[in-house]
Amino acid sequence: MRFVAGLDGGGTKTAVTIADDQGRVVHSFTSGGMNYNGQDEDSVRQNLQEIVDTIASVCGGLDYCVQICIGAAGVSNPTVTSRLEATIRACGYHGDLLILGDQETALSGAHGRPYGIILIAGTGSICYGKNESGDVHRSGGYGHLIDDEGSGYSIGRDLISAVVRANDGRAPETVITEMVYRQLNMTKVAEMIGFVYDARTHKKDIAALAPILSEACLLGDQAALGIAHRSAASLFELVIPVAEKLSLQEGVLAMAGSVLLKNHFVKTALVDMLQEKYPKLQCITPKQDASIGAVLMALERLNRAI
C-alpha cells in the first residue's frame, strides 16, 4: 500500500493528514509550527522531525509514503522553500516532495476544487484566488513585520497597544487591560513590555492573545469594538484586488483561520462590507481544511505520474 501526506504548516501549528493512494484518510494529527519567518531554526527542525517520524510510523516506513505536499506559511521568503526541503530530507524523507504556499492548499481544501477565493486570517493573513482559466492572484501574507493586518498577530498587537494607550491616558480605560494582564499573568505595563521585547517571545505568543477580543467585544468595550472593525476593514482590503483581477466578484469566497472562524464580530463586520460591495459574492466556511487540500494536491500529482 502506498500513502501520501498533506501538511498545513502555519506559524503556530502544523496539521497533518495521511491518506492511502485511493484517498482514504488513515490518520490525522497536529504538531508545532514550521514558519521560518517567525520561528527559530531548531524548533522548526524538531517539529518536522516529529512529523516525519509519525508519518513513518503510520505508513510502516517512509518508503511507503510516496508523496508529501506541504502548504507552508512564509514561502514568500525565497529561502524558505529550500530550507524546508533540506530539513525534510535531513529528517529522513526522500520521496516526492511538493512545497507550496499554504494559501494554495487551503484553497483546494476549502472548495474541494482548484479554483475560487480563500481568505485566511490565522496567525497571519492572506487572500488568494484562482479562476477557471487558471489565472491566480494573491494579496497580503508578507509577514508580521510589514503586513498581516487583520490577523491573530495583528489583533494581539492591537490589544497590547490598547493597554499601553489606556495606561498613558491617551485613550479611555478598557477591560482589555485586565484581560491581557490575566492571560499573561502580569500586573503592570513594564512587565508586559518586557514580555513583548523578549527575544524568546514569538509572534505566535502575541497572536495567542487574540481570543480576548471576542470577550471584550461581548462586554461592549469600545476599544475592542474598534479593533474588530479595523481588523475586518483590513481583511476586506485583501479581498478586493483578488476578486477584481480574477473577475470573481460573483464567485465563492471561503473564509478560514481562527480569526474568521472564532471571532463573530470580525466575521460579521467583514461579511457586511463584502455584501455591500459584491452582493452576489457567496461567503462560505471551508469544506475541508488545508491539510486535506494538500492531500488532494498530492494525490493529483501522484496520479499524473502514473
Side-chain angles (χ1 to χ4, degrees), residues 191-299:
E191 293 177 287
M192 186 179 69
I193 299 306
F195 161 77
V196 169
Y197 291 103
D198 191 314
R200 295 167 295 181
T201 299
H202 299 296
K203 68 177 184 179
K204 66 180 181 180
D205 301 314
I206 305 297
L209 295 169
I212 287 173
L213 183 62
S214 293
E215 185 180 353
C217 284
L218 283 170
L219 295 174
D221 183 84
Q222 290 304 303
L225 292 169
I227 293 171
H229 187 270
R230 290 194 299 275
S231 299
S234 295
L235 296 173
F236 175 64
E237 288 179 354
L238 291 178
V239 175
I240 294 173
V242 176
E244 298 285 344
K245 287 183 179 293
L246 299 178
S247 299
L248 291 174
Q249 301 94 328
E250 298 182 7
V252 181
L253 167 71
M255 296 184 292
S258 57
V259 173
L260 289 171
L261 295 178
K262 297 180 180 180
N263 191 303
H264 168 76
F265 295 90
V266 175
K267 180 178 179 180
T268 299
L270 171 62
V271 170
D272 288 345
M273 294 175 193
L274 289 169
Q275 291 302 303
E276 182 176 353
K277 187 170 182 65
Y278 303 126
K280 294 185 179 180
L281 179 69
Q282 182 184 359
C283 297
I284 67 167
T285 299
K287 294 179 179 178
Q288 299 179 100
D289 69 17
S291 69
I292 293 289
V295 164
L296 294 175
M297 298 182 81
L299 288 169

